[in-house]
Amino acid sequence: MFDNVTYIQKLRDWHEINVDQVIQLLDKIGIQPGWNILDAGAGLGLLTDEFLSRVGETGSLTLLEPSATFKEILQSIANEKAQVNFYQNSMSDEYPSIFDSKLGLYDVIYTRLVLHHVADARAAIKNLSRFLKPGGLLV
């Protein structure tokens, strides 16, 4: 495994190389103002501004990340942006009761390049799906 500095730089490099493809994917999803998005496995939060530009002032973004490596970065983003919440939790673990109010809340749950890091991808998908609105998308 990489040290944290190397790992963070690799994530930034990946983002820079692939951001156009990600934007094309988000365009196809058709995110609308007022939507609520859960970025599950938010990493460095590199898509935060892109998501917020699409949901507008009436939407929201929740950053979910299990890694302590990114906690300070993501908490800082959440502290600076009123529409952003951050939770440190694994996708395959049971969620704390604070998440009860978020069941059926999200229009989109974004998990790109995440599920291969999860020990039990089926459990993660099952847990995440509970948070989708009817007709919501798990990407």
Side-chain angles (χ1 to χ4, degrees), residues 17-41:
I17 291 166
N18 293 288
V19 69
D20 291 339
Q21 292 174 345
V22 172
I23 289 172
Q24 288 175 5
L25 174 65
L26 297 179
D27 288 344
K28 287 180 183 180
I29 293 169
I31 296 169
Q32 300 295 311
W35 281 20
N36 299 305
I37 298 175
L38 171 60
D39 186 355

Side-chain angles (χ1 to χ4, degrees), residues 64-67 87-95 118-119 124 127-128:
L64 178 66
E65 174 59 48
S67 174
Y87 299 99
Q88 185 177 4
N89 204 81
S90 170
M91 287 167 270
S92 55
D93 292 342
E94 287 298 317
Y95 291 95
V118 178
N127 281 338
L128 289 172

Side-chain angles (χ1 to χ4, degrees), residues 7 11 14 18 22 40-41 110-117 139:
Y7 185 60
L11 287 175
W14 179 92
N18 293 288
V22 172
Y110 182 83
T111 61
R112 189 158 190 222
L113 296 176
V114 171
L115 292 175
H116 65 282
H117 290 290
V139 180

Side-chain angles (χ1 to χ4, degrees), residues 32-81:
Q32 300 295 311
W35 281 20
N36 299 305
I37 298 175
L38 171 60
D39 186 355
L44 295 169
L46 296 173
L47 291 173
T48 298
D49 290 337
E50 185 64 36
F51 285 135
L52 290 176
S53 73
R54 291 166 185 267
V55 300
E57 293 180 10
T58 58
S60 72
L61 174 62
T62 300
L63 305 172
L64 178 66
E65 174 59 48
S67 174
T69 301
F70 307 121
K71 180 180 181 179
E72 188 174 316
I73 295 166
L74 296 174
Q75 189 60 62
S76 175
I77 291 170
N79 291 342
E80 293 173 8
K81 299 178 187 281

